[in-house]
Amino acid sequence: MFRAVLAALVAAVLVMGALSTSASAGSAPKRVLDERPPKQVTYKAFKLKGVVSEPQADGTLLPYANQKVKILKKACAKCKWKVAKKIKTDASGTYKTKLYAPEKGRWKWRTKIDHSNGYGNTKGKVWTLYFD
């Protein structure tokens, strides 16, 4: 009888531990993404610039150096985000790219950094570019 009760308690503790581990796996820390609004440089071109940093346990920020950043685009509210560009950050975690607005309609743009090294997916602000 004692063994059955002890086995049930051990099983309950193991199940609770597995559930708490899987719940915390989705809440990984995110990188810090500091973006400036796109600036128009030519008739249809806009320049997007930002800095990506990784927060450390001691409260400092390290640059996300020489890593991939995706630029996503979608043409309508119901459309899915599609990768328009893949760019890399420099040694200080800065990235720069040009975005182009359509001649008709509106395009929405966003930056995304995929999960890696214990950090979760990080998504930037959504920007809408268009001409009237």
Side-chain angles (χ1 to χ4, degrees), residues 63-69 87-94:
Y64 187 61
N66 304 314
Q67 300 295 323
K68 294 179 188 175
V69 175
I87 55 176
K88 281 188 126 179
T89 60
D90 62 11
S92 64
T94 303

Side-chain angles (χ1 to χ4, degrees), residues 88-122:
K88 281 188 126 179
T89 60
D90 62 11
S92 64
T94 303
Y95 64 89
K96 300 177 204 174
T97 188
K98 283 187 180 179
L99 306 176
Y100 296 94
E103 290 185 23
K104 295 181 181 180
R106 297 170 185 251
W107 285 347
K108 294 189 179 284
W109 297 86
R110 143 186 281 174
T111 354
K112 180 183 177 194
I113 300 126
D114 287 334
H115 67 283
S116 64
N117 299 333
Y119 291 93
N121 288 337
T122 305

Side-chain angles (χ1 to χ4, degrees), residues 26-88:
S27 60
K30 297 186 186 254
R31 293 177 176 90
V32 177
L33 183 57
D34 181 26
E35 292 179 308
R36 295 186 191 101
K39 180 180 177 183
Q40 189 169 4
V41 290
T42 64
Y43 172 66
K44 286 176 47 175
F46 293 80
K47 185 176 183 180
L48 179 65
K49 184 177 180 180
V51 179
V52 185
S53 305
E54 293 181 334
Q56 302 299 305
D58 61 357
T60 60
L61 294 174
L62 292 179
Y64 187 61
N66 304 314
Q67 300 295 323
K68 294 179 188 175
V69 175
K70 293 180 182 177
I71 306 297
L72 306 176
K73 173 178 93 169
K74 71 178 187 173
C76 65
K78 292 183 180 180
C79 299
K80 291 186 178 184
W81 289 101
K82 295 182 181 180
V83 177
K85 291 184 177 186
K86 292 180 184 179
I87 55 176
K88 281 188 126 179

